[in-house]
Amino acid sequence: MLTQVLNPSQIDIAATLLRQGECVAFPTETVYGLGANALDEKAVAKIFRAKGRPADNPLIIHCHSRLQLADLVTGWPPQAEVLMDTFWPGPLTLVLPKQPAVPDIVTGGLNTVALRFPSHPVAISLLQAAGLPIAAPSANISGRPSPTSAQHVLEDMSGKIAAIIDAGPTGGGIESTVLDCTVSPFRILRPGGVTYEELSSLVAVKDTLEGAPPAPGAQYGHYSPVARVVLVTGDRAKAEINRQIDACKAQGMKAALMALTDSRRPDIHFLDMGRDVSVAASRIYHLLRQGDALGLDVIIIEGLPEKGIGRTIMDRLRKAAAIVINT
Ligand code: AMP
Ligand code: MG
């Protein structure tokens, strides 16, 4: 199959393909998504095939209007409405009790469904033009870093999907927060673009807890580049990074350091995460993919402070890492 590369003025072509049961990749404010009609089992099956995604890893349904929710969920508690009012459209996914019309293939057989309203103007126009709820995970091969540009999507999906809408790099760069609203208090299943601090200032929220049952799909390897990722955290991280760099050099390995701009050093290839955590969020997946394009053996990453969006970034970096060294 030839993958059509569309520009944002060709949304009608993409919407028609979606209505015909095809898969289309599109930009959101987090990462590029791989969309299909959420109510069409055959169309959704194409997403799982293109990504190589395990069948028990449920998908997020994207909507643009609360009117669409009546067909998808049986209802929601008042605190969920507070969060919808505050964070939609935006990178917050709510897990709610599902209507029977939502096919099992979307939810991995669960009786709940994950929903969000994206804020990217191209995503909103596409959802409006298609007039359908769109199931869309990130448009990468399962296990690879999420795509934040059309180029990343084409690396993984060219020839496997009908089309992609190329609207340049996404803004936020890191996936949505997934919040289970079927338990009290609500529980964060996956940290994301809306932070624990923002949520808990409005409603009672439990953060992802050690020992708690993992979110469905969380057991699968994630975000991994080909290079071995060594994540170094803690007060003595810089000294440990020196040791790691020396060890790589002694073994003749091609290594790079990935860190905030302040930590740049001249003796090793530097993957610049930017001046602060919000810039880092928009860059990490690109930098991990760049490490592969450079043919690196090892990417040494300096950990970030685990507050706000830093917490989300560290969640993804831990998943990408082969080794985590706490100093
Ligand atoms: P992705 O689309 O790859 O960003 O991942 C979506 C994630 O949302 C899944 O891996 C699950 O962890 C979570 N999720 C989706 N649907 C549900 C659900 N019904 N219940 C709990 N978590 C869900
Ligand atoms: Mg994903």
Side-chain angles (χ1 to χ4, degrees), residues 3-289:
T3 301
Q4 286 187 68
V5 181
L6 305 171
N7 64 52
S9 69
Q10 296 174 301
I11 279 173
D12 285 348
I13 300 176
T16 303
L17 288 166
L18 287 171
R19 280 197 300 270
Q20 289 169 343
E22 293 298 334
C23 284
V24 175
F26 62 97
T28 78
E29 74 281 16
T30 62
V31 303
Y32 272 76
L34 181 54
N37 178 359
L39 302 177
D40 176 346
E41 276 179 49
K42 284 196 184 128
V44 175
K46 291 180 186 174
I47 295 179
F48 282 89
R49 268 204 302 280
K51 282 181 63 79
R53 183 173 173 110
D56 61 352
N57 192 356
L59 306 182
I60 295 169
I61 297 185
H62 294 65
C63 296
H64 70 276
S65 145
R66 283 196 210 174
L67 291 176
Q68 292 175 292
L69 299 186
D71 296 336
L72 305 172
V73 299
T74 56
W76 54 85
Q79 299 99 311
E81 180 116 1
V82 171
L83 299 178
M84 292 175 184
D85 290 342
T86 311
F87 297 109
W88 281 0
L92 177 66
T93 295
L94 304 181
V95 173
L96 296 167
K98 86 172 187 81
Q99 288 281 14
V102 179
D104 280 345
I105 186 169
V106 173
T107 63
L110 297 170
N111 55 15
T112 54
V113 62
L115 291 162
R116 88 173 187 98
F117 285 25
S119 65
H120 194 294
V122 172
I124 294 173
S125 301
L126 179 65
L127 290 165
Q128 287 170 341
L132 296 166
I134 300 293
S138 49
N140 52 289
I141 294 172
S142 271
R144 295 262 300 138
S146 297
T148 53
S149 71
Q151 183 53 41
H152 296 161
V153 176
L154 289 169
E155 279 166 23
D156 286 12
M157 293 296 157
S158 187
K160 296 194 215 169
I161 61 173
I164 171 172
I165 306 174
D166 181 354
T170 62
I174 209 149
E175 299 90 336
S176 62
T177 304
V178 179
L179 187 70
D180 185 354
C181 300
T182 67
V183 290
S184 181
F186 296 167
R187 190 165 79 88
I188 296 177
L189 298 177
R190 176 181 74 184
V194 173
T195 63
Y196 167 75
E197 290 85 345
E198 288 174 302
L199 293 172
S200 57
S201 72
L202 292 172
V203 301
V205 173
K206 235 182 177 172
D207 203 354
T208 322
L209 289 177
E210 301 245 337
Q219 72 274 31
Y220 297 112
H222 256 86
Y223 316 116
S224 309
V226 177
R228 184 160 59 99
V229 173
V230 179
L231 175 62
V232 186
T233 67
D235 295 342
R236 292 186 303 278
K238 291 207 189 293
E240 178 58 29
I241 286 170
N242 287 339
R243 264 197 297 282
Q244 291 291 325
I245 291 174
D246 290 345
C248 287
K249 284 187 179 156
Q251 293 169 56
M253 288 197 282
K254 199 169 172 193
L257 174 65
M258 180 167 152
L260 294 178
T261 309
D262 278 351
S263 295
R264 181 187 290 279
R265 43 190 287 171
D267 57 339
I268 184 165
H269 188 89
F270 189 65
L271 296 171
D272 186 357
M273 288 208 266
R275 65 176 188 284
D276 59 31
V277 285
S278 62
V279 180
S282 69
R283 289 195 187 170
I284 58 163
Y285 293 132
H286 176 68
L287 294 175
L288 291 172
R289 281 179 181 257

